[in-house]
Amino acid sequence: MTSIATAGASVSEQHAAIAGARPWQRLVLLGIGLVVALGLPWFVYPPVAMDIAAWALFAVALDLLLGYCGLLSFGHAAFWGGSAYATGLVAIHLGVPFPVAVLGGALFAMVLAVPIGYLSVKRSGIYFAMVTLAFAQMLFFIANQASSLTGGENGLQGVPRSFFGIEAVETDSFFFYYAALPIILLGMWAAWRIVHSPFGRVLVAIRDNAPRARALGYDVERYKLIVFVLSAGLSGLAGGVFAVSHGFVALPELHWATSGEVVLMTVLGGIGTLWGGVIGAGLIVMLADYLASSGFDGIGIVTGGVFVTVVLLFRRGIWGTARHLYLMRRSASRARR
Amino acid sequence: MNAVLQYTVQGLAAGSFYALAALGLAVIFGVLGVVNFAHGAFYMLGAVAAAVLLDTVGMSLWLALIVVPLLMLVFGMLVERLLVQWLLPLDPLYNLLLTFGLTLLLVDLVKRRYGVSGLPYERPSALDGRVQVGGVGLPIYQLFVIGVALLVCLGVWLLMTRTRVGMIVRAATERPELAGALGINVGRWVTPVFGFGVALAGLAGVLAAPFRAITAEMGSDFIIILFAVVVIGGLGSIVGAVVGGFLVGLVEAFGQAYAPTFAQVLIFVLMAVVVLARPAGLFGREEATA
């Protein structure tokens, strides 16, 4: 049975994708991405732009696990939300500049990911999905109960945006975006480095054929655990920025619906593409914002419908489809020569 | 002692809902290899359908216990034909994602139609009140729920062990490769089995209608606990689903009684312990893992 990460692509296409775009194309893409990232708050309401950036990193972090190791976590809200709370608590109680608080949150998410990952990677496929989901929900209940620390149903209020006393950043969402963007880009760069490293190649090998990777002497469970923790850390960076941007942390950040939402973004953009998560996040956040501002309260109907449609008809996702078409054309023109 | 009896009945009643629904989940997984995330939403639909039928045509709980599962059977078969079957040849994760999307859709549709506050459901007077057992007053309705759940579980067990259809389904559930090798045509049973599993979730929902708050969100925590149940019991196992269901119900009830802060966390602690000790679950077998 084909794994979820490879079902959309043929083997030759996988090879082509490994070879990837030509270097100049990569640079052009990177340039476009940077321009969009830098220009976003000029076109989109700055807090929404920040949401897009945070969710984009979250989706990229999930894709690191799903697309490159074939592990579908349905519990990533634990790391996004866990870091959001940790970041918020650090910011409130220590008053450190927000990047430090966010790093603290990411660190917390990684620590949290060790036991959860240790238990989850014992199973794969749907079992992995269910076990991660259950542990994330456990965290949700704990956060709900520990209301003296987390504010329970009311959420964690008054997360400050301390930034070396630079008032523009601390009060204006537009400038805050530019102060926080480096954290997001750093996270994306880290994901890219992980994927394009020898470690990343081992992950793909495990995804494609775990028994063979094991026979080659790789400790499969250890690799899975490491990428799980790394993915949790990047999700934590994203969740921390999200928390500081909003100035409060609400319980739904830990809910399984949040885990599902980030999976939707990744699948919509295209599994195993990294870029896809960014596109999926942008589309879903803007759609949600548009629906909310137009007074439509049934966003689940729309996201649920998108989910069902994408899974049924459009499994490669947006970026995956674009890449597929491009690679088809390239190999066709090569064959003609 | 009296308190223990009370919590036991309470736990078994809660476990009845889990056992019935998990049984449906296990049967669907066994034959189709699908983890049905929408199971919680189907449970919610069962409860909502019972409430709506009572409100519009005055259908009693007794009749609803038969009519609603039949409606859910048809609905489930439609879902399988229209959506689930297209993804059966692919990685099971795709159907998990599909049913997840379906859950979002169904929950929001019900929320828009019936609002966010709970629908009322009056239990029949025959099931109201308490019965004295050894000096302890036990709620009749909880005993009724346990009775129905045990009867249905027994019925499903008889169906599985005493009939040809049951043998096929069981073979497909417990030894899929062997069943295929013996020339058993599992494919024919895919749609009705999915419908049957959905009907069991719907039945759990009807039973829950007079007992729990009927809201669009009522399946939301339910499905997560259900996943914990099948991880504990072993996903490929029908016995595991039932035992796991009652076990989780008991843990929940005693947790709520003696450590209310940790009641829900306890379920997942139990799950963690089971995953550590027996990754395949209490009644699961290692080779049945995907």
Side-chain angles (χ1 to χ4, degrees):
Chain A
M1 191 171 290
T2 48
S3 100
I4 190 163
T6 52
S10 67
V11 173
S12 62
E13 194 184 320
Q14 290 281 314
H15 285 297
I18 289 165
R22 299 181 179 101
W24 65 267
Q25 291 171 325
R26 233 185 230 153
L27 278 177
V28 169
L29 279 177
L30 200 64
I32 295 173
L34 271 177
V35 168
V36 170
L38 287 170
L40 201 58
W42 294 83
F43 303 103
V44 183
Y45 185 50
V48 176
M50 196 71 257
D51 280 5
I52 293 174
W55 279 99
L57 177 58
F58 191 18
V60 164
L62 183 87
D63 199 25
L64 190 61
L65 202 58
L66 172 58
Y68 294 88
C69 206
L71 291 170
L72 171 56
S73 164
F74 239 98
H76 252 46
F79 311 119
W80 161 270
S83 165
Y85 276 109
T87 301
L89 289 170
V90 168
I92 290 171
H93 295 297
L94 300 184
V96 291
F98 82 82
V100 179
V102 169
L103 277 181
L107 208 65
F108 174 76
M110 290 173 87
V111 171
L112 193 65
V114 173
I116 295 181
Y118 177 76
L119 286 164
S120 308
V121 299
K122 287 177 176 291
R123 312 306 308 271
S124 56
I126 36 182
Y127 296 89
F128 180 82
M130 290 199 300
V131 173
T132 48
L133 176 70
F135 284 125
Q137 202 59 14
M138 179 163 148
L139 204 69
F140 175 85
F141 287 130
I142 292 174
N144 194 7
Q145 290 296 336
S147 50
S148 57
L149 196 65
T150 62
E153 298 273 346
N154 299 325
L156 188 64
Q157 312 272 350
V159 176
R161 272 187 203 169
S162 178
F163 193 69
F164 309 107
I166 301 172
E167 207 174 312
V169 169
E170 290 173 358
T171 55
D172 191 333
S173 302
F174 182 83
F175 293 106
F176 173 75
Y177 177 89
Y178 289 102
L181 189 64
I183 300 177
I184 301 289
L185 294 180
L186 190 78
M188 301 231 180
W189 177 78
W192 189 87
R193 273 309 307 153
I194 292 167
V195 166
H196 293 91
S197 69
F199 173 79
R201 304 311 311 156
V202 176
L203 291 183
V204 173
I206 290 171
R207 177 193 76 188
D208 290 345
N209 195 334
R212 187 181 292 170
R214 191 172 284 124
L216 285 170
Y218 293 110
D219 186 343
V220 170
E221 281 194 4
R222 215 178 114 234
Y223 273 87
K224 284 183 175 177
L225 180 59
I226 292 172
V227 72
F228 190 82
V229 172
L230 289 172
S231 169
L234 295 179
S235 306
L237 275 186
V241 168
F242 187 83
V244 176
S245 163
H246 283 251
F248 75 99
V249 185
L251 214 42
E253 305 312 333
L254 281 172
H255 196 255
W256 57 256
T258 297
S259 303
E261 205 169 331
V262 71
V263 173
L264 169 62
M265 291 169 182
T266 310
V267 175
L268 175 64
I271 293 169
T273 63
L274 290 192
W275 279 108
V278 177
I279 292 168
L283 285 177
I284 295 290
V285 171
M286 288 204 282
L287 182 68
D289 180 56
Y290 171 75
L291 290 175
S293 59
S294 67
F296 179 76
D297 61 349
I299 185 160
I301 296 174
V302 178
T303 49
V306 170
F307 220 124
V308 170
T309 314
V310 168
V311 171
L312 277 176
L313 305 172
F314 200 53
R315 276 185 290 280
R316 284 180 212 275
I318 293 168
W319 191 258
T321 304
R323 195 175 67 177
H324 175 68
L325 291 176
Y326 168 74
L327 290 171
M328 292 253 287
R329 256 191 56 202
R330 196 165 79 174
S331 63
S333 67
R334 213 180 266 161
R336 248 183 276 122
R337 256 184 270 145
Chain B
M1 190 58 219
N2 295 350
V4 170
L5 181 62
Q6 210 151 20
Y7 299 142
T8 307
V9 170
Q10 207 176 314
L12 291 176
S16 297
F17 304 125
Y18 299 141
L20 281 176
L23 193 59
L25 206 59
V27 174
I28 290 176
F29 177 77
V31 174
L32 289 85
V34 169
V35 175
N36 179 25
F37 199 103
H39 222 62
F42 292 149
Y43 159 83
M44 175 271 290
L45 283 183
V48 169
V52 170
L53 284 172
L54 176 71
D55 187 48
T56 52
V57 296
M59 185 183 286
S60 69
L61 179 73
W62 309 105
L63 203 53
L65 279 172
I66 296 166
V67 171
V68 173
L70 285 176
L71 289 174
M72 294 303 292
L73 177 84
V74 175
F75 181 66
M77 287 172 70
L78 276 174
V79 168
E80 201 281 334
R81 282 281 94 182
L82 295 177
L83 303 171
V84 171
Q85 67 152 335
W86 304 108
L87 300 174
L88 287 180
L90 301 174
D91 191 300
L93 288 169
Y94 280 114
N95 258 317
L96 181 62
L97 295 178
L98 174 86
T99 48
F100 176 82
L102 194 61
T103 304
L104 297 180
L105 252 171
L106 289 173
V107 169
D108 249 24
L109 282 173
V110 171
K111 208 189 284 174
R112 282 175 77 78
R113 181 70 183 77
Y114 297 106
V116 283
S117 61
L119 295 166
Y121 199 98
E122 198 103 347
R123 72 187 61 157
S125 53
L127 298 175
D128 237 348
R130 287 164 180 271
V131 62
Q132 293 293 322
V133 178
V136 192
L138 298 174
I140 293 176
Y141 192 75
Q142 291 189 358
L143 294 173
F144 170 71
V145 168
I146 297 169
V148 172
L150 287 178
L151 268 180
V152 172
C153 289
L154 185 70
V156 172
W157 184 74
L158 286 175
L159 191 75
M160 291 289 172
T161 52
R162 296 283 183 274
T163 67
R164 197 178 144 67
V165 174
M167 304 266 188
I168 292 172
V169 169
R170 209 155 48 99
T173 310
E174 288 168 14
R175 303 270 172 180
E177 296 86 4
L178 209 57
L182 287 172
I184 294 171
N185 185 359
V186 180
R188 200 148 48 105
W189 297 103
V190 159
T191 309
V193 164
F194 192 88
F196 180 68
V198 172
L200 283 174
L203 176 67
V206 180
L207 279 174
F211 195 64
R212 301 267 161 94
I214 308 172
T215 67
E217 306 281 359
M218 70 186 286
S220 151
D221 286 346
F222 189 77
I223 183 66
I224 310 296
I225 296 177
L226 223 49
F227 278 9
V229 166
V230 292
V231 170
I232 290 168
L235 190 48
S237 166
I238 287 165
V239 180
V242 175
V243 174
F246 283 111
L247 193 62
V248 164
L250 286 172
V251 168
E252 198 180 56
F254 280 94
Q256 257 150 18
Y258 295 109
T261 321
F262 299 106
Q264 298 206 266
V265 177
L266 271 179
I267 296 169
F268 300 106
V269 172
L270 176 67
M271 191 191 79
V273 171
V274 170
V275 169
L276 262 181
R278 276 185 67 91
L282 294 178
F283 294 86
R285 285 185 329 277
E286 201 54 52
E287 70 262 27
T289 58

